[in-house]
Every structure is written in C-alpha cells, then in structure tokens.
Amino acid sequence: MPTRTARTAWNGGLQDGSGQVELTSSKVGTYDVSFPKRAAEDAGGTTSPEELVAAAHSSCYAMQLSALVAEAGGTPQALDVTADVTLGEDKEAGGFKLTGIKLTVRGEVDGLDEAGFKEAAEKAKAGCPISKALAAVDITLDAALEG
C-alpha cells in the first residue's frame, strides 16, 4: 500500500500566525489554517486538523462499512457518513486533545435488515484503520437504514 503525504507551511506564532496545508499526494488542493479560526465556531474559510481528521475518518469508515455490508450479504446502494470531531482541553496533560468523534451513518442497503446493518456498522467502527489510529479518542456511532 502506498504512503500518502500532506505538507504544512506555517509562518508566525500560534495566535498571530497562519499556514497552508497542501494535500501533496493527490494534488487536489491547498487550504488555509489558523489557530484562532481553528478555535472559533465560524471557521471563516479555513480548515483545521480536526476537519481533516473528520474527512479521513468519514471516508475510511464509508469504505470499511461498504465492504462489511457486502460481506454480510447486503448490497450498499448509498452510505451518507458524517464524522464530527471535537477539540477540547486536555485536563490531564495540558493543552488540547480530541475529546470525541461522533460517526453518523445513514444507509440505503439491499439485503440487510436494520439489525444486520447496525452490526456491520459497529464492526466498521472497530475495523476502520482511522478508527484504530484514533483508539484513544471516544468514538460513538449513530447508524440507521433509510427508506
């Protein structure tokens, strides 16, 4: 399997500085980052490490779930996955840490009932490589079939 690369160029201090993160391997874009906007409710056109983790987690989870639905005898027609990643204070070590990730998935699946879908969804949460990498973070799941 290949290695994927991203690069960040940062100028200045934490509060007055800013940077750009480049998705180097795919060359799909370069995005502004800033700590004050990272900590604000309105991101103001910048991304953040948490949003990038959310993108990685939601896409990885969708792939894992599609494989497990098929393994369970179903056919995934559509999966809508959202990952909400929360940054908060690290009261034990100081600074900040990821305090939680909420995965929400709504699926259109042929050949599986709600219980079968939820079982596959839980297995995908445990088996997704990004979930494994983020095992120190509390990850919750809200999974349901639509239609």
Side-chain angles (χ1 to χ4, degrees):
M1 298 299 282
T3 298
R4 300 294 184 218
T5 304
R7 177 183 167 273
T8 299
W10 186 268
N11 296 301
L14 179 63
Q15 293 297 333
D16 66 345
S18 63
Q20 291 190 317
V21 61
E22 169 190 88
L23 303 182
T24 309
S25 299
S26 64
K27 299 177 179 52
V28 296
T30 300
Y31 304 94
D32 292 334
V33 290
S34 151
F35 184 78
K37 290 183 180 178
R38 177 184 184 184
E41 284 298 320
D42 180 3
T46 66
T47 192
S48 67
E50 294 73 37
E51 184 176 41
L52 296 169
V53 166
H57 205 176
S58 66
S59 60
C60 182
Y61 179 84
M63 291 178 207
Q64 185 74 35
L65 180 55
S66 69
L68 291 173
V69 164
E71 189 177 288
T75 303
Q77 298 301 320
L79 299 172
D80 186 338
V81 180
T82 302
D84 296 307
V85 176
T86 305
L87 178 70
E89 182 182 356
D90 186 341
K91 294 178 182 172
E92 294 172 12
F96 298 95
K97 69 177 186 175
L98 300 184
T99 57
I101 300 171
K102 179 183 179 189
L103 293 172
T104 303
V105 59
R106 296 297 177 259
E108 294 177 32
V109 174
D110 295 333
L112 284 184
D113 62 8
E114 186 83 19
F117 179 72
K118 286 186 175 187
E119 182 178 339
E122 285 291 342
K123 285 182 182 176
K125 182 183 93 153
C128 159
I130 300 297
S131 290
K132 290 176 183 179
L134 298 170
V137 181
D138 180 35
I139 301 171
T140 60
L141 175 64
D142 175 5
L145 287 175
E146 291 186 330

